[in-house]
Each structure stands twice: as C-alpha cells, then as structure tokens.
Amino acid sequence: EDKVVQSPLSLVVHEGDTVTLNCSYEVTNFRSLLWYKQEKKAPTFLFMLTSSGIEKKSGRLSSILDKKELFSILNITATQTGDSAIYLCAVERGNAGNMLTFGGGTRLMVKP
Amino acid sequence: DAGITQSPRYKITETGRQVTLMCHQTWSHSYMFWYRQDLGHGLRLIYYSAAADITDKGEVPDGYVVSRSKTENFPLTLESATRSQTSVYFCASMSAGIPETQYFGPGTRLLVL
C-alpha cells in the first residue's frame, strides 16, 4: 500500500529559527513529490521535485529530494509568524493518472 | 469569478440526509478531484475525474457519489450522510499531466449531526 509519512506532526519555534520538515514515502511508480502550504484555507503549491539532489528554492524556503532513500525535506530559514501553517507533502504516481497521495501534514507554529 | 469555487462553504445536516457539495472551475482543466481533510489524515482522495463523463474512485469513496456532465462542474453527493462524514471537503482541478497546476477550492466545512 502506498504511504506518505510526514514528521514531525507539529512543531513550535520562535521567529528567526530554522526548521526542517520531513516527508518519507513508499509508493509504486513514483513520478514527483510536491509540497504545499495550508493556512486557514486551501493548500497552495510550493515546490515540485522530480530529481534527486537538486534543491528548489524560493526565498527562505528550500526543498530537496532523495530518491534513493525515499524522502524529501522542506527547510525554512529565519522563520516568521507568517510561516505558521500546515505543510503538506504529496507524491504523484506515474501509473495513477496524476493522482496525488498526501501525507498527514506538519503543523508549524512560529511564535514572535 | 475566475478560479475554482465551492458551495456551500459551511453546511450542517442530519444523519441520513442527502447532501450535495458543488464545485465549479473556470480554467477548463480536464482533471477534477474531491478530497476530505480530517485531523491526522492530511488530504484523502474521495473521487476524481479525468474528463467529462469519466469518474473513478479514490482512496475513500464509500458513501459518496459524483458526476461530471460538464467539464467545469464536479458535484459530490453524500447519499445518506453519516457522522463519520463530518469533515472539510476540498475540490481541486488540474491540467492533465501537470501536477503542479492542481489548484484547490476554498473548502466546504460539513457537520453531520
């Protein structure tokens, strides 16, 4: 059975801290891994990763994929209160019509 | 309005009633999805549709029915609502073959009493 597991479940940090969120997966016919940010509404797309070892970066957020060890990390440096959200990881399977299998999410709270 | 919309945004119903959640997108995306989100489970796929008149089950389809007579609409019906269907429901649409274009609607919060 396909599985996407995120850790930690929740995290509380202070502004300025750096955080690392983890996503491990076991899926058949892996095609890509996507990260989303969800505040009090719909998830919004952050990154899509398809190749191992190539970092994707957007401002203070970055992400990398390891296809050998089957995991991805999302780093946020110099956290701000606006980074408080649920971060979702999803895996796209190539044999499943672009369907995404989501992990349970990591709830991040950044305190001032 | 451009984008993807859902209605109603909030709904309270009783066990055994039929409820339909509406989803409408203006991008002419071929794919549409229904997810439910519960604490600790992330997003779980209920049903998806690759095109008009083509629908398929996702991970948790039991108790739900969908239809897609037009590309832009993808209603989700709970035929006989149960308390376990209390959840937040998200509709999404996507351009075929481009997963990063999967955009989510604002969600419908459903409470079944």
Side-chain angles (χ1 to χ4, degrees):
Chain A
E1 187 184 321
D2 294 330
K3 243 185 339 184
V4 180
V5 178
Q6 292 185 246
S7 64
L9 243 57
S10 65
L11 195 52
V12 180
V13 301
H14 288 94
E15 274 193 317
D17 288 350
T18 293
V19 297
T20 298
L21 310 183
N22 303 292
C23 175
S24 64
Y25 61 91
E26 290 178 36
V27 300
T28 52
N29 205 356
F30 172 91
R31 181 178 282 175
S32 66
L33 185 144
L34 295 89
W35 283 97
Y36 290 85
K37 178 182 182 182
Q38 185 179 22
E39 296 171 90
K40 291 180 182 175
K41 46 187 178 177
T44 53
F45 172 78
L46 292 173
F47 296 112
M48 185 172 91
L49 303 153
T50 53
S51 302
S52 270
I54 298 175
E55 186 183 55
K56 291 268 180 109
K57 205 168 165 63
S58 175
R60 295 176 294 103
L61 276 67
S62 64
S63 184
I64 198 158
L65 174 67
D66 185 328
K67 286 166 77 172
K68 184 179 173 190
E69 300 298 329
L70 308 182
F71 76 91
S72 173
I73 59 172
L74 175 68
N75 275 324
I76 309 175
T77 58
T79 51
Q80 302 171 357
T81 55
D83 295 326
S84 296
I86 296 172
Y87 290 84
L88 295 164
C89 161
V91 172
E92 180 203 7
R93 290 169 289 143
N95 62 344
N98 301 135
M99 279 201 297
L100 299 179
T101 300
F102 281 83
T106 293
R107 185 180 292 271
L108 174 65
M109 181 182 294
V110 181
K111 291 188 170 180
Chain B
D1 283 15
I4 182 164
T5 56
Q6 292 182 235
S7 62
R9 295 293 313 281
Y10 303 91
K11 176 79 178 175
I12 301 174
T13 191
E14 293 177 337
T15 303
R17 296 213 180 226
Q18 183 178 83
V19 176
T20 296
L21 309 184
M22 305 301 292
C23 178
H24 176 79
Q25 53 108 353
T26 60
W27 293 302
S28 299
H29 282 166
S30 55
Y31 276 83
M32 293 188 77
F33 306 85
W34 274 107
Y35 295 92
R36 60 178 289 174
Q37 187 173 34
D38 307 288
L39 212 59
H41 286 282
L43 289 162
R44 289 184 291 174
L45 183 66
I46 304 170
Y47 268 96
Y48 70 102
S49 167
D53 297 322
I54 301 174
T55 63
D56 212 342
K57 294 178 181 179
E59 185 186 349
V60 288
D62 293 343
Y64 303 95
V65 173
V66 293
S67 62
R68 191 145 178 232
S69 56
K70 290 184 178 181
T71 299
E72 60 266 29
N73 296 323
F74 191 39
L76 175 76
T77 297
L78 288 66
E79 294 189 296
S80 177
T82 63
R83 287 186 182 157
S84 65
Q85 291 177 310
T86 292
S87 187
V88 180
Y89 291 85
F90 287 100
C91 176
S93 71
M94 186 185 80
S95 191
I98 312 176
E100 62 267 43
T101 66
Q102 185 163 153
Y103 297 114
F104 290 83
T108 294
R109 194 173 286 273
L110 176 68
L111 174 62
V112 183
L113 299 174

